[in-house]
Amino acid sequence: MAITIRELAQALDAQGWGDLDLPVTGAAEPQATGPVGPGGGVIALAMSPKYAEALQPGSIAILAEGMDPQALGLKAAIFAPRPRLLMAGLTRAFDPGPDLAPGIHPTAVIDPSAQIGDGAAIGPFVVIGAGVRIGSGARIGPHVSIGRGSTLRDDVLIHAGARIAPGVTAGHRLIVQSGAVIGGDGFSFVTPEESGIEEIRRTLGARDEIKQQHWMRIHSLGGVEIGDDVEIGANATIDRGTIRATRVGHGTKIDNLVMLGHNVVVGDDCLLCSQVGIAGSSRVGNRVVLAGKVGVSDNIEIGDDVIAGGASKIFTRVPAGRVILGNPAVKMETQMEIQKAMRRLPRFAQQLAKLQETVTRLLEKG
């Protein structure tokens, strides 16, 4: 695939400079590019001066606004008013997507009652259950399974080996990476008598008597509801609800290895980074960012626009707009003061030891 500098700049809503008719065949870091001829070549991503140092004269590059392509000896350039946003458009332009042939592969097993929209590409060994409805333009990779009664709307992309259980409803343009499981049973069990966990929650630590206990399954009758423009990373898991559905709002992006428990509700345009775990029945507002390894206890409410730093552990309600960090999570500025105080502890201990020695000597002298 090749487009000209002019076409790429227009597609990215950015300003071009130099020979705008040069073809661009791909993108690379500055050190992996070189001078281009009339046939064009790859464009370097050099959106800061330190990256621009590796550019070779005669190459083509994407630069930040204010950088001088002529001084760098470039043949052509595109200026990025917001570099990371331009990166989104650039990578989209050159991403070929999965290699799926149009139509339905002969090894796919599709129930006669399933409805497949126009323009679908369904790969080898896909299994689609009874009553499934899939919209137009779907791309479904090899070894995907979609359970009974699930609905996926237009332009979904399901990568190889993903599992979508019965009763899942998903919106337009859903992307599911390999190995993700949507709609597995919730981890929900109960004992005939009060369990040790329930006792500890009631007493906050005291145990009257330790008894033998047997766990009984609480079955998951709810489904999973996913909005439009959601992305779900590799090996992420979203459990179905117990009675009502587990829900993920429009535009939310879920990283690899994220776990959403049963009955969890996640709002619109959230960002859940790798190894986030949200326990059952917790509610997450809109535009919330949970960095890697954040843990959320069950039945917790997190307000809109909250940002939680990496490895934070959230045990109580978080008000809207708060930035939190730590275990247990507190306001970020409070956590920074805690960390500073902890670093001072060895010095305080030394000072206390010297003070004790001084007091002891004074007492001995009478």
Side-chain angles (χ1 to χ4, degrees):
M1 173 182 170
I3 58 177
T4 66
I5 290 283
R6 187 191 317 278
E7 292 167 337
L8 184 57
Q10 290 174 348
L12 300 175
D13 195 23
Q15 179 185 353
W17 174 91
D19 186 353
L20 302 183
D21 294 320
L22 279 173
V24 181
T25 57
E29 294 183 345
Q31 59 270 26
T33 63
V36 299
V42 295
I43 191 167
L45 306 178
M47 293 170 284
S48 73
K50 69 175 182 178
Y51 297 132
E53 293 173 0
L55 289 172
Q56 296 187 40
S59 58
I60 55 178
I62 295 177
L63 306 175
E65 288 186 328
M67 297 175 69
D68 187 351
Q70 191 166 6
L72 295 169
L74 302 183
K75 281 192 174 181
I78 294 174
F79 293 102
R82 179 162 160 73
R84 283 189 63 81
L85 184 61
L86 187 142
M87 281 281 290
L90 177 71
T91 53
R92 182 173 59 247
F94 287 106
D95 184 0
D99 186 17
L100 288 175
I104 299 172
H105 195 275
T107 62
V109 179
I110 301 176
D111 190 275
S113 64
Q115 301 176 32
I116 311 296
D118 296 335
I122 298 178
F125 304 107
V126 169
V127 178
I128 297 177
V132 169
R133 292 185 295 168
I134 298 175
S136 63
R139 293 175 291 166
I140 300 175
H143 296 279
V144 168
S145 62
I146 302 174
R148 179 190 66 254
S150 288
T151 297
L152 310 179
R153 296 191 172 88
D154 297 343
D155 299 313
V156 299
L157 171 58
I158 315 297
H159 286 275
R163 306 292 181 211
I164 298 176
V168 172
T169 300
H172 304 295
R173 298 171 297 278
L174 170 70
I175 297 176
V176 181
Q177 299 291 339
S178 295
V181 179
I182 303 173
D185 281 347
F187 191 74
S188 192
F189 299 87
V190 66
T191 55
E193 67 290 329
E194 183 184 48
S195 70
I197 296 171
E198 291 169 310
E199 180 186 19
I200 292 302
R201 284 192 167 184
R202 175 173 54 81
T203 65
L204 298 180
R207 300 201 68 173
D208 296 330
E209 182 182 359
I210 297 177
K211 301 177 182 178
Q212 185 176 355
Q213 58 186 26
H214 174 69
W215 296 103
M216 299 176 62
R217 165 185 284 272
I218 297 175
H219 289 257
S220 300
L221 305 182
V224 177
E225 297 175 359
I226 299 172
D228 297 337
D229 300 300
V230 171
E231 299 195 20
I232 298 171
N235 296 318
T237 56
I238 302 176
D239 285 352
R240 64 196 312 106
T242 305
I243 302 297
R244 62 173 172 83
T246 301
R247 297 190 181 96
V248 178
H250 300 303
T252 286
K253 314 302 181 188
I254 296 174
D255 197 1
N256 304 338
L257 298 169
V258 169
M259 167 65 196
L260 303 186
H262 60 278
N263 303 336
V264 164
V265 176
V266 176
D268 297 342
D269 294 309
C270 294
L271 202 65
L272 308 182
C273 300
S274 183
Q275 299 185 49
V276 161
I278 303 179
S281 300
S282 286
R283 303 179 67 90
V284 177
N286 300 321
R287 300 172 302 278
V288 170
V289 178
L290 303 181
K293 293 191 176 182
V294 167
V296 180
S297 188
D298 61 294
N299 293 281
I300 295 298
E301 183 175 349
I302 299 175
D304 294 345
D305 303 296
V306 166
I307 298 175
S312 296
K313 300 296 176 275
I314 303 173
F315 301 113
T316 58
R317 177 182 174 275
V318 183
R322 183 158 292 181
V323 180
I324 57 176
L325 181 65
N327 180 9
V330 295
K331 286 182 179 180
M332 182 171 281
E333 56 266 34
T334 302
Q335 183 61 225
M336 300 310 291
E337 289 301 315
I338 291 171
Q339 295 300 319
K340 290 177 184 177
M342 289 180 65
R343 288 196 293 271
R344 296 187 190 110
L345 285 177
R347 186 171 74 247
F348 289 161
Q350 293 174 355
Q351 292 172 343
L352 178 60
K354 291 179 180 178
L355 180 60
Q356 288 174 326
E357 291 175 2
T358 302
V359 171
T360 300
R361 286 197 299 270
L362 291 174
L363 289 174
E364 289 173 351
K365 290 179 179 180

